[in-house]
C-alpha cells in the first residue's frame, strides 16, 4: 500500500519523491531533491506496480527529525513561525487548486496579492512545505545548519539486536532497525553495484547505500553533493554485511560479476564425469585444438623463426586413448580439423614411420570412426561437416562457447603437453609477460615442424600407456585385474563392451571432409573460382554442349587446386577434373592466392573503369569540338548555287581530286633532307589544280551525256 507523506526512491536514477495527496485513482507526488518543485499527478496503480516490482523503493524520510525548540535559534523559530502563518492562512485553504496544474499559476498570483508576498516567495513556501514533510518544521530555513549535530536524538522505536560496543564521544550509537524496507534497499544496492563487472567491493556497495538512501543532498558550485546522516540514523557496515550473507547467492554473484560462462567453467558443482554417456570405445570422441607454447624454426633455414604451431588432438572418451593428431600451421580452422580427422583413420604405424619412429600396431591400434564427435563450434559448424553427418553417419555435438570443461579430457591433455614442452624444449614460452632485460625466448627456437611433431607423437605414445588417475573403474575391470591405461581400457572395452567402432576407406573420408563448392558448366569448361577444369566424362557425355550454365557440386582441396572432384550420388565414387590450359598458371597456387589475384584484378579494373569514364567524356568533348569547328567552317564557306543533284553526281570526281592531292602529301621521299639553307621554296601551282578540276568537270559532264543517251536508246528500242 502507498500512503500520504511516504518517501520513495526510483531504483534507476535515485530520484526521490514524496506522496503529498491520494485522490481516488490518482496520486500527487513531488520531487524532494529540486530547488523548486510542483506536484505531478500519477496513476495509483502505476506507482503500486513499480513498488511491487522493485523499481520504486520505500526509504526513510530524510526530513523526519525530532528537533525540540530548545535546540533552535530565535531567528530560526521566528522565521519558521512567520512562514507557517502564511501557509496556514493562504496556502492550506487553497490546496485543492494548487495541486492541479491547470489554474495553479493563477492561484499563486492571487495568493501573492492577498498575502502581500512576491510570487517567487509563495512558490518557495509551497515547495518547502511539500518537499520537507508538510508540517510546521518544514518551514525551517535550512535543516543542514539546524539541530544538535553530534548529539543523540530521540528515536520513535528502540533498537533491537545486540548493542554496539563502539562509542562516539562517550555515547553508544544504537544504529537503526533493519526493516523490510531497509532489506529491499540492501538488495537493490547489491544488484545494482555488487553484481556488476565493475568489481566493487562490499565496502564500496555500503558507501553507495549511504549515499543513495541515507544522506542529504544539496548543490555546491552547480554540482550535487551528499551529506551522510548521523550514525544513529544509518545502518552500520556490520548490519549490511550480516544481511548480505543472508541474501548472498554465489551463482548469481559470479554470473553477474564475471559471466555465466565463468561460473559454468570454474565454479559449477561437478556431480558427474565424461564417461557416464559412453558404453565403450568409439561411442564418443573429443576433438580440440591449441596453439602450442613454443616457437619453431623453418625446415629450410634454422635461422628463420616461423612462429607457433597448431596442435589438434582427438581422444576417445571411454578409454582416453589418442585416436588422431595433427601438428602444423593450418588453423585453428577446418583445414586443421580435417587433417586431424584424416589422421584418425590412418594407419598409425605408417604415420609414425614418416617421423622416424618405429612402433607396432599394438602400441597405437586406432584407425576407426566414432559414433559422436564432441567439438566446440567454430570448425564443426556449417556445411563443412555435412559429409560426416550425412554420408558417414557421425553425429556432431558442439559445446557452447568458452565451455572447455565440456571437453575436459582433451583440454587436460593440452595442459600436460604445454607443461612438458616448457620443461624440455628450447624456444618455449616460459611466462606470459617478459620484463625489461629478460631474454627473448623466441630467439632460442630450435625445433622445426617435423621435429616438434615427433616430439608430440612421443608424448602421445607415453599417454596411451600411462595410468589414468581417478578413472571411474567398473567392477568388472577390477575383477579382471585391469590397470587403467588408455591401451588397456581400449582393448578391454572392445572385448567386453559394445562400443561404436567402425572403419572407413581413407579416400572416402577425405572425400567427405574436403570443403564443397559449386561449379558451373560452360562451353569453356567446368568453371570454379574463375578457374576452368575438364574431365573425361564431361567430354564423353557432351556436358559443355548439353548442360551449359548448369551448377554442380564439387569437392576441392584449397591447398591443391590442380584437381577438383565431382562426387557421385552414392557418396563413394567421384569424377576427377583437371585444370585446362587457360588456367594452368594457377596449378601450384593455394585457393587464397587465387582469390587474392582475382580480387586484385577486380580492384585494378574497377580503378581503371573510373579513368575510362573520364577518358570517354574527354573523347566525346573533343569529337564535339571537331564537329562544331567543321560545321562553322562550312557555314563561313562561299556557296556556289548548285543543285542537290549536281552535288551528288560529282562525288566520284571530287573523291578522285582529293585522292590525288592526298597522294602528293602522303608519298614517301627517302632522299636526304636538305638543310634550311638548301631547302628550296615550295611553289604551289594553283593553275594545275584548277585545270585538273576543270578536266574532271568535263569528264563528268560527258559521262552524264553518255548515260542519258544510253537510257534514251533503251526506252525507244534503238539498241535492238
Amino acid at each position: 500500500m502507498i500512503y500520504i507523506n511516504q518517501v520513495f526512491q526510483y531504483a534507476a536514477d535515485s530520484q526521490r519523491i514524496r506522496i503529498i495527496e491520494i485522490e481516488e485513482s490518482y496520486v500527487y507526488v513531488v520531487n524532494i531533491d529540486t530547488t523548486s518543485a510542483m506536484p505531478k499527478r500519477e496513476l495509483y496503480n502505476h506507482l503500486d506496480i513499480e513498488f511491487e516490482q522493485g523499481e520504486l523503493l520505500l526509504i526513510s524520510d530524510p526530513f523526519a527529525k525530532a528537533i525540540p525548540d530548545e535546540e533552535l535559534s530565535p531567528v530560526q523559530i521566528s522565521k519558521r513561525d512567520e512562514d507557517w502563518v502564511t501557509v496556514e492562512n493562504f496556502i492550506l485553504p487553497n490546496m485543492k487548486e494548487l495541486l492541479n496544474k491547470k489554474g495553479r499559476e493563477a492561484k499563486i498570483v492571487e495568493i501573492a496579492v492577498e498575502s502581500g508576498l512576491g510570487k517567487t516567495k509563495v512558490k518557495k513556501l509551497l515547495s518547502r512545505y511539500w518537499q520537507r514533510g508538510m508540517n510546521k518544521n518544514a518551514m525551517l530555513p535550512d535543516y543542514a545548519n539546524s539541530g544538535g549535530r553530534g548529539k543523540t536524538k530521540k528515536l520513535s522505536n528502540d533498537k533491537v539486536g545486540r548493542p554496539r560496543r563502539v562509542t562516539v564521544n562517550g555515547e553508544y550509537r544504537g544504529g537503526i532497525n533493519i526493516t523490510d524496507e531497509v532489506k529491499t534497499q540492501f538488495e537493490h544496492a547489491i544488484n545494482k553495484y555488487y553484481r556488476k563487472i565493475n568489481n566493487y567491493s562490499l565496502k564500496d556497495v555500503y558507501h553507495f547505500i549511504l549515499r543513495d538512501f541515507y544522506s542529504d543532498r544539496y548543490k555546491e558550485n552547480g554540482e550535487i553533493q551528499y551529506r551522510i546522516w548521523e550514525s544513529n540514523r544509518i545502518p552500520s557496515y556490520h548490519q549490511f554485511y550480516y544481511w548480505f550473507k543472508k541474501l548472498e547467492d554465489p551463482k548469481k554473484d559470479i554470473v553477474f560479476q564475471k559471466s555465466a560462462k565463468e561460473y559454468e567453467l570454474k565454479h559449477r558443482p561437478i556431480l558427474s564425469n565424461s564417461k557416464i554417456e559412453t558404453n565403450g570405445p568409439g561411442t564418443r570422441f573429443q576433438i580440440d585444438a591449441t596453439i602450442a607454447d613454443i616457437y619453431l624454426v623453418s625446415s629450410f633455414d634454422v635461422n628463420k623463426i616461423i612462429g607457433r604451431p597448431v596442435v589438434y588432438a582427438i581422444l576417445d572418451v571411454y578409454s582416453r586413448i589418442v585416436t588422431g593428431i595433427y601438428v602444423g600451421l593450418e588453423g585453428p580452422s577446418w583445414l586443421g580439423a580435417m587433417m586431424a580427422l584424416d589422421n584418425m583413420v590412418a594407419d598409425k604405424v605408417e604415420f609414425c614411420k614418416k617421423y622416424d619412429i618405429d612402433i607396432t600396431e599394438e602400441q597405437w591400434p586406432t584407425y576407426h570412426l566414432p559414433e559422436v564427435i564432441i567439438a566446440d563450434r567454430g570448425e564443426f559448424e556449417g556445411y563443412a561437416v555435412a559429409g560426416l553427418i550425412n554420408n558417414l553417419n557421425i553425429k556432431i555435438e558442439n559445446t557452447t562457447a568458452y565451455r572447455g570443461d565440456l571437453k575436459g579430457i582433451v583440454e587436460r591433455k593440452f595442459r600436460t603437453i604445454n607443461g612438458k614442452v616448457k620443461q624440455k624444449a628450447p624456444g618455449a614460452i616460459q611466462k606470459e609477460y617478459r620484463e625489461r632485460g629478460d631474454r627473448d625466448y623466441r630467439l632460442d627456437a630450435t625445433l622445426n615442424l617435423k621435429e616438434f611433431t615427433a616430439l608430440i607423437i612421443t608424448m602421445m605414445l607415453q599417454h596411451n600407456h600411462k595410468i589414468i588417475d581417478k578413472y571411474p573403474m567398473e567392477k568388472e575391470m577390477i575383477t579382471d585385474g585391469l590397470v587403467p591405461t588408455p591401451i588397456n581400457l581400449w582393448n578391454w572395452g572392445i572385448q567386453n563392451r559394445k562400443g561404436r567402432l567402425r572403419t572407413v576407406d581413407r579416400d572416402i573420408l577425405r572425400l567427405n571432409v574436403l570443403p564443397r563448392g559449386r561449379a558451373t558448366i560452360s562451353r569453356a569448361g567446368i568453371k570454379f573460382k574463375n578457374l576452368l577444369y575438364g574431365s573425361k566424362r564431361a567430354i564423353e557425355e557432351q556436358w559443355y554442349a548439353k548442360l551449359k550454365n548448369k551448377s554442380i557440386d564439387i569437392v576441392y582441396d584449397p591447398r591443391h587446386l590442380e584437381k577438383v572432384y565431382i562426387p557421385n550420388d552414392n557418396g563413394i565414387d567421384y569424377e576427377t577434373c583437371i585444370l585446362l590450359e587457360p588456367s594452368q598458371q594457377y596449378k601450384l597456387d593455394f585457393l587464397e592466392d587465387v582469390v587474392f589475384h582475382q580480387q586484385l584484378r577486380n580492384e585494378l579494373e574497377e580503378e581503371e573503369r573510373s579513368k575510362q569514364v573520364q577518358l570517354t567524356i574527354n573523347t566525346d568533348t573533343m569529337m564535339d569540338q571537331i564537329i562544331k569547328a567543321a560545321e562553322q567552317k562550312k557555314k563561313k564557306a562561299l556557296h556556289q548555287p548548285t543543285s542537290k543533284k549536281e552535288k551528288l553526281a560529282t562525288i566520284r570526281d571530287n573523291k578522285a581530286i582529293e585522292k590525288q592531292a592526298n597522294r602528293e602529301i602522303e608519298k614517301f621521299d627517302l632522299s636526304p633532307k636538305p638543310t634550311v639553307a638548301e631547302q628550296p621554296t615550295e611553289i604551289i601551282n594553283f593553275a594545275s589544280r584548277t585545270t585538273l578540276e576543270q578536266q574532271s568537270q568535263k569528264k563528268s559532264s560527258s559521262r552524264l551525256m553518255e548515260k542519258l543517251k544510253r537510257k534514251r536508246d533503251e526506252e525507244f528500242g534503238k539498241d535492238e
Side-chain angles (χ1 to χ4, degrees):
M1 291 288 292
I2 296 176
Y3 301 100
I4 294 175
N5 218 18
Q6 283 183 322
V7 179
F8 293 92
Q9 178 171 311
Y10 282 99
D13 56 6
S14 299
Q15 177 186 328
R16 299 185 296 183
I17 60 172
R18 184 186 298 277
I19 309 297
I20 60 174
E21 187 61 62
I22 298 177
E23 185 181 276
E24 296 179 356
S25 59
Y26 292 101
V27 176
Y28 291 90
V29 301
V30 68
N31 189 331
I32 68 172
D33 292 319
T34 57
T35 304
S36 178
M38 292 293 111
K40 291 170 56 180
R41 190 171 74 166
E42 301 279 357
L43 285 171
Y44 183 95
N45 289 339
H46 180 67
L47 287 183
D48 195 33
I49 291 172
E50 288 184 325
F51 177 67
E52 292 294 334
Q53 293 179 347
E55 299 175 14
L56 198 63
L57 307 175
L58 180 64
I59 63 173
S60 302
D61 188 344
F63 300 102
K65 298 182 180 180
I67 304 175
D69 286 357
E70 294 79 22
E71 296 182 1
L72 299 175
S73 68
V75 175
Q76 288 176 314
I77 294 175
S78 173
K79 186 67 177 173
R80 178 195 67 183
D81 293 345
E82 180 184 344
D83 289 343
W84 182 246
V85 170
T86 303
V87 171
E88 275 191 316
N89 294 334
F90 298 100
I91 291 179
L92 293 180
N94 298 297
M95 186 57 67
K96 186 174 182 180
E97 291 83 355
L98 292 170
L99 286 173
N100 294 311
K101 185 177 181 180
K102 186 177 181 181
R104 181 190 299 147
E105 196 69 21
K107 180 56 68 175
I108 290 174
V109 172
E110 183 182 322
I111 292 173
V113 173
E114 292 178 359
S115 63
L117 301 174
K119 178 181 172 183
T120 304
K121 175 67 174 179
V122 174
K123 282 189 173 182
K124 183 178 179 180
L125 292 178
L126 262 175
S127 297
R128 190 179 288 268
Y129 173 77
W130 280 325
Q131 288 179 316
R132 299 196 174 189
M134 299 185 293
N135 53 45
K136 188 175 182 178
N137 274 353
M139 298 297 106
L140 283 170
D142 195 347
Y143 272 132
N145 299 320
S146 66
R149 183 179 299 176
K151 296 182 181 179
T152 304
K153 300 295 186 293
K154 183 179 178 180
L155 298 176
S156 57
N157 296 314
D158 293 333
K159 169 74 171 65
V160 298
R162 181 175 64 86
R164 301 184 191 176
R165 297 176 181 270
V166 180
T167 61
V168 178
N169 297 330
E171 297 181 357
Y172 282 103
R173 295 301 174 92
I176 65 171
N177 289 325
I178 306 301
T179 62
D180 290 339
E181 288 77 12
V182 178
K183 294 176 191 176
T184 303
Q185 295 166 12
F186 287 172
E187 188 171 6
H188 162 73
I190 291 168
N191 288 331
K192 184 176 181 180
Y193 300 111
Y194 185 71
R195 290 169 180 160
K196 295 290 182 182
I197 59 174
N198 306 73
N199 290 325
Y200 286 126
S201 66
L202 286 177
K203 274 284 186 184
D204 295 330
V205 177
Y206 173 68
H207 294 155
F208 288 134
I209 291 173
L210 298 184
R211 184 197 68 182
D212 291 347
F213 301 106
Y214 300 95
S215 66
D216 293 323
R217 304 179 189 184
Y218 62 97
K219 281 194 174 182
E220 187 174 295
N221 298 326
E223 298 291 333
I224 295 179
Q225 304 293 331
Y226 301 88
R227 184 181 292 109
I228 305 301
W229 297 348
E230 296 84 352
S231 57
N232 61 341
R233 297 179 59 203
I234 63 176
S236 69
Y237 175 74
H238 294 290
Q239 286 177 307
F240 165 68
Y241 184 78
Y242 171 80
W243 286 103
F244 166 77
K245 298 304 289 185
K246 280 185 169 293
L247 297 171
E248 186 179 24
D249 185 338
K251 178 179 179 180
K252 186 183 291 187
D253 292 342
I254 295 170
V255 167
F256 280 95
Q257 280 189 311
K258 305 293 184 181
S259 66
K261 297 167 185 174
E262 178 85 4
Y263 173 80
E264 294 291 342
L265 184 62
K266 297 182 179 179
H267 303 280
R268 66 179 177 86
I270 303 175
L271 305 176
S272 183
N273 61 72
S274 301
K275 182 173 170 288
I276 293 296
E277 296 180 348
T278 64
N279 57 6
T283 307
R284 271 177 164 76
F285 284 2
Q286 291 182 4
I287 182 172
D288 201 6
T290 189
I291 300 176
D293 292 341
I294 187 173
Y295 282 82
L296 303 181
V297 297
S298 170
S299 57
F300 304 106
D301 186 348
V302 294
N303 293 313
K304 293 181 179 179
I305 302 171
I306 63 172
R308 297 163 62 184
V310 175
V311 179
Y312 267 89
I314 305 175
L315 277 79
D316 175 54
V317 172
Y318 182 85
S319 65
R320 310 296 200 264
I321 196 171
V322 177
T323 61
I325 64 169
Y326 167 69
V327 182
L329 304 176
E330 296 289 355
S333 65
W334 175 249
L335 282 179
M338 183 177 72
M339 296 300 295
L341 292 171
D342 179 61
N343 182 260
M344 178 181 70
V345 299
D347 183 347
K348 301 303 188 295
V349 176
E350 294 296 325
F351 169 66
C352 292
K353 190 177 293 184
K354 294 179 182 177
Y355 298 92
D356 302 322
I357 299 175
D358 294 324
I359 65 170
T360 62
E361 185 177 347
E362 290 74 19
Q363 290 178 273
W364 202 350
T366 62
Y367 48 88
H368 308 83
L369 293 178
E371 183 183 46
V372 177
I373 292 179
I374 304 173
D376 58 355
R377 308 171 75 85
E379 305 98 314
F380 282 82
E381 280 194 326
Y383 72 92
V385 298
L388 293 176
I389 298 171
N390 299 330
N391 297 327
L392 301 180
N393 196 28
I394 298 176
K395 185 179 179 182
I396 305 298
E397 292 182 358
N398 281 307
T399 63
T400 54
Y402 304 101
R403 287 298 308 278
D405 57 308
L406 298 179
K407 307 186 309 303
I409 298 171
V410 68
E411 291 280 350
R412 181 68 186 89
K413 188 71 244 166
F414 284 142
R415 289 197 295 273
T416 303
I417 290 172
N418 279 326
K420 201 71 174 176
V421 165
K422 289 182 179 181
Q423 291 177 357
K424 297 284 186 181
I429 299 174
Q430 298 301 330
K431 53 185 178 180
E432 190 171 356
Y433 300 104
R434 290 187 296 114
E435 297 179 2
R436 186 182 180 91
D438 287 351
R439 176 172 173 77
D440 193 334
Y441 44 73
R442 293 174 294 183
L443 299 175
D444 297 328
T446 304
L447 299 174
N448 61 31
L449 189 59
K450 183 176 180 180
E451 292 164 343
F452 181 69
T453 304
L455 210 67
I456 295 296
I457 292 173
T458 303
M459 284 189 281
M460 295 302 180
L461 290 171
Q462 182 207 17
H463 164 82
N464 289 346
H465 294 80
K466 185 179 178 181
I467 295 177
I468 303 171
D469 295 331
K470 300 179 182 179
Y471 182 84
M473 295 281 285
E474 302 172 26
K475 290 190 297 183
E476 294 88 339
M477 294 178 180
I478 299 173
T479 303
D480 292 345
L482 185 70
V483 178
T485 65
I487 284 288
N488 292 341
L489 293 169
W490 175 270
N491 294 329
W492 189 90
I494 292 174
Q495 295 175 3
N496 298 277
R497 292 291 178 261
K498 184 178 179 181
R500 291 291 185 273
L501 290 178
R502 293 176 292 136
T503 58
V504 68
D505 183 82
R506 198 172 181 184
D507 286 343
I508 299 302
L509 176 77
R510 290 179 173 180
L511 184 66
N512 284 283
V513 298
L514 281 171
R516 290 177 175 258
R518 297 286 291 177
T520 304
I521 299 174
S522 67
R523 291 177 61 192
I526 300 170
K527 191 174 184 180
F528 173 67
K529 300 295 184 182
N530 286 328
L531 302 179
L532 297 174
Y533 294 86
S535 74
K536 181 180 178 182
R537 179 182 171 191
I539 296 174
E540 291 175 351
E541 298 182 4
Q542 300 184 27
W543 287 7
Y544 308 126
K546 295 180 179 179
L547 304 178
K548 287 187 300 183
N549 300 323
K550 181 181 178 180
S551 294
I552 57 173
D553 290 318
I554 59 102
V555 172
Y556 66 96
D557 188 337
R559 302 159 300 182
H560 180 60
L561 291 177
E562 188 176 6
K563 297 178 181 179
V564 297
Y565 310 93
I566 303 174
N568 293 338
D569 295 338
N570 58 14
I572 299 176
D573 301 327
Y574 52 88
E575 176 74 11
T576 301
C577 303
I578 301 176
L579 272 178
L580 296 178
E581 186 61 34
S583 301
Q584 277 290 317
Q585 57 181 326
Y586 294 106
K587 68 178 181 178
L588 299 178
D589 291 338
F590 297 151
L591 177 62
E592 53 262 34
D593 297 330
V594 175
V595 173
F596 172 76
H597 280 101
Q598 291 173 358
Q599 290 175 345
L600 181 61
R601 174 183 173 179
N602 293 336
E603 290 174 5
L604 292 173
E605 289 181 356
E606 189 64 32
E607 184 179 350
E608 189 61 29
R609 283 192 186 97
S610 62
K611 297 179 181 178
Q612 293 287 327
V613 172
Q614 186 63 48
L615 180 62
T616 302
I617 293 173
N618 294 341
T619 302
D620 291 342
T621 303
M622 291 183 66
M623 291 173 65
D624 291 340
Q625 291 174 353
I626 294 170
I627 294 170
K628 186 176 181 181
E631 290 175 344
Q632 291 176 352
K633 181 180 178 182
K634 183 177 180 180
K635 288 179 181 179
K636 292 179 181 179
L638 297 176
H639 296 285
Q640 292 182 358
T642 56
S643 64
K644 296 179 182 179
K645 186 175 181 181
E646 290 176 345
K647 277 188 175 184
L648 298 175
T650 58
I651 290 176
R652 180 178 297 178
D653 297 329
N654 295 337
K655 181 178 180 181
I657 296 170
E658 196 74 19
K659 184 177 180 181
Q660 184 65 28
N662 281 338
R663 283 179 175 177
E664 291 295 325
I665 297 171
E666 295 172 353
K667 66 184 179 181
F668 291 159
D669 186 356
L670 303 181
S671 62
K673 293 183 179 180
T675 61
V676 177
E678 298 175 345
Q679 190 170 358
T681 303
E682 183 179 356
I683 300 174
I684 301 174
N685 189 352
F686 289 99
S688 62
R689 180 160 185 166
T690 304
T691 305
L692 185 62
E693 291 180 357
Q694 291 175 351
Q695 291 175 355
S696 175
Q697 290 177 358
K698 289 180 181 179
K699 289 180 181 179
S700 175
S701 59
S702 62
R703 288 175 182 169
L704 180 61
M705 290 298 294
E706 289 177 2
K707 289 180 180 179
L708 291 174
K709 288 179 180 179
R710 208 166 30 246
K711 186 175 182 181
R712 182 195 61 189
D713 295 338
E714 289 175 357
E715 290 179 356
F716 292 97
K718 286 188 177 183
D719 56 340
E720 296 178 356

